[in-house]
Amino acid sequence: MSTAAVPVGPVGPTAFGIRFVLLIGAVLATSLVLLFTIEAHLPGRAQSALEQVAGCASAFEAGQSAAGDDPVRRRDLAAEQRACLRPVLTAQLAFAGAGLGLLAGVVALGYLTHPRWLVRRGRLRRLSATTSPRTVTDLDELAGVAGLVRPPEWWLAPRRRTTSGQVFGLPGRRYVRLDAGLLLSRVTDPPAFRAVVLHELAHLRNGDVDLTYLTIWVWRAFVAVVAAPTLVLLVHPLLLVDATRWSWRSTILGGGSRTALLVVLLTLTCLVYALRNAVLRGRELHADAVAARLDGPTGGLVRVLASLPPARRLVDRWGTHPSGPDRWHAVRNPAVLLRTRHAELVAVGLPVGVLTTNLNLLFGLRLGVDPILGLGLLGLPVGAVLAVGLTLTVWRSAAHASVAGPDVASGVRRWPGTGQASLWWSGPLVLVGSFLAGALLSVQLRDGGIGPPGSAGPAHRLASMLVLVAGGMLLAAWATAVSRAAYAAGPPPRWALPAILAVAALVGGSAGTVWLTYGLGGIDLRPIPGVAPATGAGPTWYAYLAAIGGGSLDQLHRLVYHPFVLPAAILVWLVPLPLLTRRAGGRPAIRRAVTVGLGGGALATVVGVLLPLAARLALPTEVRRTPPTDQAGAPFAQVLDGVTLMAAVLVVAVVTTVVVAGRGPGRPIVAPLAAMIVAVVAAGGFYTVVTPVQCGIDVWAAGTLPAYCSSLPTAAPLARTTGWVLVQGFVLAVPFLLTVALLPGLRARSARPEANAAERDEPRWARAVRALPVAVTALVAAWLSWQLLPAAYETWLWNTFG
């Protein structure tokens, strides 16, 4: 029997605590949806709400007709409409808040009173040193074996003939119930008695008593406060209006909306029930693993677990206690506590999807802010939760492989796509699918959903889903590289997991802010046309080149001018670098990324210098001259700047792809580092080298000093240029990165070089010199992030997008 320590702490959290958090999230999401429904059935609520909404809509339409094309007046009208609707909408939110408060009160009351209730229901009698001195002494000794500083109080259930026990109690005063049959086995079967008592004491050692009874009462309060009243209202919708009026036509089957709501109720209630049972099963497996380690390889726990019957029905397998074979396997291989399951990703995505579509009005009209800004605020927690759930799943998969070892991990029976090597693509698919399924369960999706008007077609929704899946795959690939680097040289440091999850939350929140403003309504991937050359100037290919150089996706403006994007682009490589240096070949990988990044930035600068020289050979003189003010179209200098920046964007995409497709460990970690170096060097070279060279060529050709040569750029344009090049380069690299990841031939190049003596014995001054470009890049990028904040403020708060 394995006696390895149960992996907890820095190795990775067990499924018990994670599932409890998922349970709370599912209960909150489900309760909000159902409380909104209950509030709509209050007497007179629906009619007054409809009248208020109609009045606000009439006033808004009349104001729009009078405002015409005045943008300031239209903005004021939108604010007046939100203020008009706020009393109606906040009433629903206040009712939901009161319902959640009642739910929390019932949970707290049940938890605080459960010890007294269990003692009275079981008619328990306390075992004391006066009445049973020998028994209490032996039990206290077992508490010391379990590592408890203070032994619990021992209680006997004289009416129970089974050989089991139960732990309960509040912090500072814990109890252990011993059945009469278990106390009898102290004489008839001492090893079995010791094993069962150690199992109960393991619950105290693990600290899962409070979470256990909170889980039980969360479920009971949810059924009593939320689920049951909603079901009653679905059966009798007029109960709160006129209880005597009822007919089968007004029940669940009397309308499609009520039938859909019943489906939502059953689906989410089943999810909450499944999570509740998963929490209770997880704590049993954890206690078995700890008790087996305490009992030793010759103890009686394995024999006791082997005598338990297997699950013969599906209900038994998904009940509150695991089957005998599952518990026996947890004792033989404690690393099973870290094994990842796609069901946990479903438990993350489904409630988040439900909450997202039901809270879009809350973060827009109900907060009294611009709807786009409101959706952006909602996207911060939505994206952060999804990203943290996916990253934690990948991390735990690496922890399981590290603790279990290759022999045990390879012998575990898995479904296709659940191994660590394939979790980077299967995990995002499951997470995104469950998120969209939760969005479809929303009762408000049919009332408008989320997204810009006219962009909710099937093609746009498909594009939105593919963008979300692609982003999830890139995040999962990054998390896989980080977790492997963390476990390559033994257990990771304690700061690693919280820091990595914080970075994932920042990345996910930034992306979620932008995605949600378009997401569920559909993303329009048609690019915005770029600048047009002066009328009739230049050949046809020049017009196409100008349009490509100045065009972009509308959604990219929200990323470029996002206050968190550049900090996230820094931390995504800066935080994992200490973990990567612990892995064999990590430092050479960092040096290669720095070298490639510097070379890419120099290449982008050289291309920017050569473009005006090439333009002199390819374009006539009248095209390259600045057109008069009355001539339609963009001047040549603006077109040249756009093409120069587009060349830098292309270099960022190529460098990112080359680094990911190369050799060595941690390539998804160092690829953003290389891209950041390219963007910083290219933006700096654009203002310090390319622009002066272009000005010199224009002065030499025209004999006059152009206007854009007479002033030096400030920090704000440099920050915007860096963000623009970096964001567009990342987006352009996405299809190339996915191609590299999906092709087996390119994936096979990821060999793991061994650390050589020179790398291990490298002096500190040499390490400091090699780390200098990384430190300079981080400092410059942080300074640029600070300089970009005013533009981000103006963009998001005043809705001045591109």
Side-chain angles (χ1 to χ4, degrees):
M1 182 178 65
S2 174
T3 59
V6 178
V8 292
V11 173
T14 60
F16 176 54
I18 293 175
R19 289 168 184 170
F20 178 78
V21 175
L22 296 179
L23 171 67
I24 299 301
V27 168
L28 290 177
T30 307
S31 299
L32 280 175
V33 175
L34 300 183
L35 287 172
F36 289 161
T37 303
I38 296 175
E39 192 270 344
H41 286 80
L42 295 178
R45 173 61 185 153
Q47 183 63 30
S48 62
L50 290 176
E51 293 176 356
Q52 183 72 17
V53 170
C56 295
S58 300
F60 180 72
E61 292 176 358
Q64 274 191 323
S65 301
D69 297 331
D70 186 0
V72 177
R73 180 54 186 160
R74 285 182 173 272
R75 182 185 301 170
D76 295 339
L77 284 174
E80 293 174 2
Q81 185 193 32
R82 292 193 295 271
C84 180
L85 292 175
R86 194 179 301 124
V88 180
L89 299 174
T90 52
Q92 188 180 24
L93 181 61
F95 181 85
L100 291 179
L102 178 61
L103 179 68
V106 173
V107 172
L109 181 63
Y111 166 73
L112 293 175
T113 59
H114 85 271
R116 181 176 301 180
W117 182 67
L118 290 176
V119 169
R120 294 189 60 182
R121 189 188 67 171
R123 299 181 181 181
L124 306 183
R125 294 188 302 178
R126 184 180 178 185
L127 296 174
S128 64
T130 303
T131 58
S132 306
R134 184 68 179 272
T135 302
V136 172
T137 300
D138 293 345
L139 292 173
D140 289 346
E141 290 179 358
L142 289 178
V145 173
L148 302 180
V149 178
R150 178 183 177 184
E153 294 184 10
W154 307 96
W155 292 74
L156 174 65
R159 297 176 179 273
R160 299 179 65 93
R161 299 293 182 257
T162 57
T163 58
S164 62
Q166 184 180 5
V167 292
F168 58 99
L170 300 176
R173 194 170 185 181
R174 304 296 191 184
Y175 310 96
V176 176
R177 188 206 75 203
L178 305 176
D179 294 348
L182 176 62
L183 198 60
L184 181 62
S185 67
R186 177 174 173 268
V187 178
T188 59
D189 193 352
F193 172 78
R194 173 186 171 89
V196 174
V197 174
L198 285 177
H199 171 86
E200 301 303 329
L201 293 173
H203 285 302
L204 299 178
R205 178 188 174 95
N206 297 338
D208 58 12
V209 177
D210 297 323
L211 294 185
T212 297
Y213 289 97
L214 285 175
T215 298
I216 294 173
W217 279 100
V218 162
W219 164 252
R220 292 174 178 175
F222 168 76
V223 172
V225 177
V226 179
T230 305
L231 183 61
V232 171
L233 289 177
L234 287 177
V235 175
H236 193 348
L238 301 177
L239 178 64
L240 301 178
V241 179
D242 187 357
T244 60
R245 292 175 55 192
W246 182 87
S247 65
W248 69 272
R249 295 182 181 276
S250 63
T251 60
I252 297 171
L253 300 179
S257 60
R258 288 191 292 273
T259 304
L261 186 58
L262 176 64
V263 174
V264 174
L265 172 62
L266 294 179
T267 302
L268 297 179
T269 302
C270 289
L271 174 65
V272 173
Y273 181 74
L275 283 173
R276 172 249 191 183
N277 290 353
V279 170
L280 299 179
R281 288 197 309 272
R283 66 131 191 180
E284 293 294 335
L285 294 177
H286 196 189
D288 287 335
V290 172
R293 193 180 74 218
L294 298 173
D295 200 21
T298 60
L301 184 61
V302 174
R303 177 167 54 86
V304 173
L305 296 179
S307 64
L308 297 177
R312 295 183 174 86
R313 300 176 302 173
L314 185 61
V315 177
D316 297 333
R317 180 169 293 276
W318 293 92
T320 58
H321 281 69
S323 63
D326 291 340
R327 301 179 70 170
W328 180 85
H329 183 65
V331 169
R332 300 285 296 181
N333 178 25
V336 72
L337 301 175
L338 292 172
R339 188 185 304 170
T340 56
R341 291 179 173 86
H342 283 137
E344 297 173 2
L345 292 175
V346 175
V348 174
L350 196 63
V352 173
V354 172
L355 273 179
T356 300
T357 49
N358 282 278
L359 293 183
N360 65 84
L361 289 177
L362 167 65
F363 281 81
L365 296 174
R366 297 181 197 180
L367 290 182
V369 299
D370 182 81
I372 294 181
L373 177 60
L375 288 179
L377 294 176
L378 177 60
L380 280 175
V382 168
V385 170
L386 294 177
V388 167
L390 182 60
T391 304
L392 185 58
T393 301
V394 175
W395 183 278
R396 292 180 65 243
S397 177
H400 173 259
S402 174
V403 174
D407 297 334
V408 177
S410 60
V412 175
R413 184 177 179 182
R414 292 179 177 270
W415 290 96
T418 58
Q420 185 188 10
S422 55
L423 194 60
W424 68 271
W425 63 264
S426 62
L429 286 176
V430 173
L431 184 64
V432 172
S434 59
F435 174 77
L436 296 178
L440 294 177
L441 289 175
S442 169
V443 296
Q444 294 187 11
L445 183 62
R446 67 186 65 206
D447 298 330
I450 298 176
S455 62
H460 294 167
R461 291 189 180 276
L462 178 61
S464 174
M465 181 185 67
L466 293 178
V467 167
L468 196 59
V469 171
M473 288 183 176
L474 295 179
L475 178 63
W478 173 82
T480 301
V482 172
S483 59
R484 287 178 176 175
Y487 287 99
R494 292 185 176 274
W495 61 264
L497 180 57
I500 295 305
L501 293 182
V503 174
L506 184 63
V507 173
S510 303
T513 299
V514 179
W515 183 88
L516 198 59
T517 56
Y518 287 90
L520 295 181
I523 289 181
D524 190 356
L525 293 180
R526 291 174 296 181
I528 300 176
V531 296
T535 304
T540 305
W541 63 265
Y542 174 64
Y544 287 120
L545 185 63
I548 295 174
S552 67
L553 294 175
D554 181 35
Q555 295 85 347
L556 293 186
H557 289 82
R558 306 178 189 272
L559 275 177
V560 173
Y561 298 107
H562 196 292
F564 297 153
V565 167
L566 280 181
I570 301 171
L571 296 177
V572 77
W573 54 264
L574 185 61
V575 172
L577 280 188
L579 300 176
L580 184 59
T581 56
R582 301 169 69 241
R583 184 174 182 178
R587 294 173 188 170
I590 297 174
R591 290 195 293 268
R592 284 194 296 270
V594 171
T595 303
V596 174
L598 292 175
L603 176 62
T605 303
V606 171
V607 170
V609 171
L610 295 178
L611 280 177
L613 298 177
R616 289 181 56 82
L617 301 176
L619 295 173
T621 304
E622 59 271 13
V623 173
R624 291 182 282 109
R625 287 178 178 173
T626 301
T629 55
D630 58 348
Q631 185 174 353
F636 170 73
Q638 183 178 352
V639 175
L640 184 60
D641 289 345
V643 176
T644 303
L645 293 180
M646 184 54 63
V649 168
L650 182 61
V651 172
V652 170
V654 171
V655 165
T656 304
T657 307
V658 167
V659 173
V660 172
R663 298 181 182 274
R667 290 164 295 156
I669 301 174
V670 297
L673 169 62
M676 176 67 73
I677 293 176
V678 173
V680 170
V681 174
F686 176 79
Y687 288 104
T688 60
V689 178
V690 175
T691 300
V693 169
Q694 181 181 343
C695 290
I697 295 175
D698 292 340
V699 170
W700 173 61
T704 59
L705 184 65
Y708 59 86
C709 293
S710 59
S711 61
L712 295 177
T714 60
L718 181 62
R720 288 195 296 268
T721 302
T722 303
W724 188 250
V725 172
L726 186 64
V727 169
Q728 288 208 113
F730 275 148
V731 173
L732 186 61
V734 168
F736 304 130
L737 295 177
L738 293 179
T739 302
V740 169
L742 293 174
L743 290 180
L746 294 178
R747 289 206 312 267
R749 294 170 56 86
S750 59
R752 297 182 179 180
E754 296 295 334
N756 51 38
E759 180 181 345
R760 291 194 302 265
D761 302 333
E762 187 179 26
R764 291 185 177 180
W765 66 266
R767 298 179 187 178
V769 171
R770 296 183 185 277
L772 185 60
V774 177
V776 171
T777 302
L779 291 177
V780 172
W783 176 72
L784 293 175
S785 302
W786 177 260
Q787 298 299 325
L788 193 62
L789 287 180
Y793 175 85
E794 292 289 335
T795 300
W796 281 95
L797 287 185
W798 298 106
N799 197 20
T800 58
F801 293 105

